[in-house]
Amino acid sequence: MIGIFHIFMWYFLLVLYMGQIKGVFGTYEPITYKTGCAFWGIFYIVSGVSSIRSTQNSSRYLSIWALTMNIFSVITALIALSLTIIELSTFNTVSYRNYGQAKLGREVSRVLLTTYLLEIGIALTHAICCCSQLNKTDQRTPHPRSSSLKLNKKHSSAMGSQELGVDLRQPHSRSSSLKLDKTASEELGEDLRQPRSRSSSLKLNT
């Protein structure tokens, strides 16, 4: 609403100052009119719409966009506030034909001065709310590093269990190999004993 009010005030000041008559002492054209401070209300409209969208759809990208637009609105409102103070602190002489228009324009600038202060407060509160919303979304969504660490832990635990299984199987294989070695040695011993028995039987026959 503040942004829409500023746009209407900008159009009103534009029509007011363009309708001045060039007299001997010139026209009243303040620095706020030359820079178009009231037209900066379009940034306030965008920041308000982005804040509403971020509250309706709690996504990270919308919250970041709303935060940046609110910070930008605070900066523009501070610049407009300082320029309005400069305008109201000085008043150059103008033609008597344009004095009424200059006086009315300065009254409008006083009204806009209060709205700039209000806009700074609203934008700051919205920025703080966006920061808290970003913290909540960060806590809800898991980080990719933590998920990768969890996957690495699971992989390492699976590898460790496989290694333990291999280590547990190794004694059985060793015992079976020892049994095979014993049977092979026994067979070799029997083969070595058989020639001796044959030679002893031949001696008995002779």
Side-chain angles (χ1 to χ4, degrees):
M1 294 297 292
I2 295 174
I4 296 170
F5 176 73
H6 282 191
I7 296 295
F8 279 118
M9 288 297 104
W10 170 79
Y11 182 73
F12 176 74
L13 291 173
L14 182 66
V15 173
L16 182 68
Y17 291 141
M18 285 180 67
Q20 295 182 95
I21 301 169
K22 293 182 180 180
V24 179
F25 296 101
T27 57
Y28 182 71
E29 293 180 353
I31 191 170
T32 54
Y33 170 70
K34 292 178 181 178
T35 55
C37 290
F39 188 71
W40 296 353
I42 193 167
F43 299 120
Y44 311 148
I45 296 170
V46 175
S47 65
V49 171
S50 60
S51 298
I52 293 168
R53 289 291 302 275
S54 65
T55 53
Q56 289 177 353
N57 300 320
S58 60
S59 65
R60 182 177 176 82
Y61 297 106
L62 286 174
S63 298
I64 291 170
W65 173 251
L67 178 62
T68 52
M69 286 306 300
N70 284 311
I71 292 169
F72 188 72
S73 296
V74 170
I75 293 168
T76 53
L78 285 171
I79 295 169
L81 180 67
S82 61
L83 291 175
T84 307
I85 290 170
I86 292 169
E87 177 196 353
L88 295 174
S89 61
T90 58
F91 183 70
N92 297 322
T93 56
V94 295
S95 177
Y96 70 94
R97 294 179 180 178
N98 300 325
Y99 182 76
Q101 294 173 347
K103 190 175 179 64
L104 182 59
R106 287 173 68 86
E107 293 297 327
V108 172
S109 296
R110 287 189 180 91
V111 174
L112 290 174
L113 185 67
T114 57
T115 58
Y116 291 140
L117 293 171
L118 184 62
E119 177 61 30
I120 289 168
I122 293 170
L124 277 175
T125 53
H126 280 301
I128 292 166
C129 292
C130 289
C131 288
S132 63
Q133 190 173 359
L134 281 172
N135 291 325
K136 288 179 181 179
T137 53
D138 288 335
Q139 290 175 0
R140 288 175 185 175
T141 56
H143 294 284
R145 290 182 179 177
S146 62
S147 60
S148 63
L149 287 171
K150 288 179 181 179
L151 289 173
N152 290 325
K153 286 180 180 179
K154 288 181 180 178
H155 183 68
S156 62
S157 62
M159 291 294 291
S161 62
Q162 288 178 1
E163 289 177 356
L164 285 171
V166 171
D167 293 332
L168 291 171
R169 289 172 186 173
Q170 281 179 359
H172 296 290
S173 61
R174 287 177 184 175
S175 61
S176 60
S177 62
L178 288 171
K179 288 178 181 179
L180 289 172
D181 292 334
K182 286 180 181 180
T183 54
S185 62
E186 287 176 358
E187 288 177 357
L188 286 171
E190 288 177 357
D191 292 333
L192 291 171
R193 288 173 186 174
Q194 283 179 2
R196 292 180 182 176
S197 61
R198 288 178 183 175
S199 61
S200 60
S201 63
L202 288 172
K203 286 180 182 181
L204 289 172
N205 291 326
T206 55

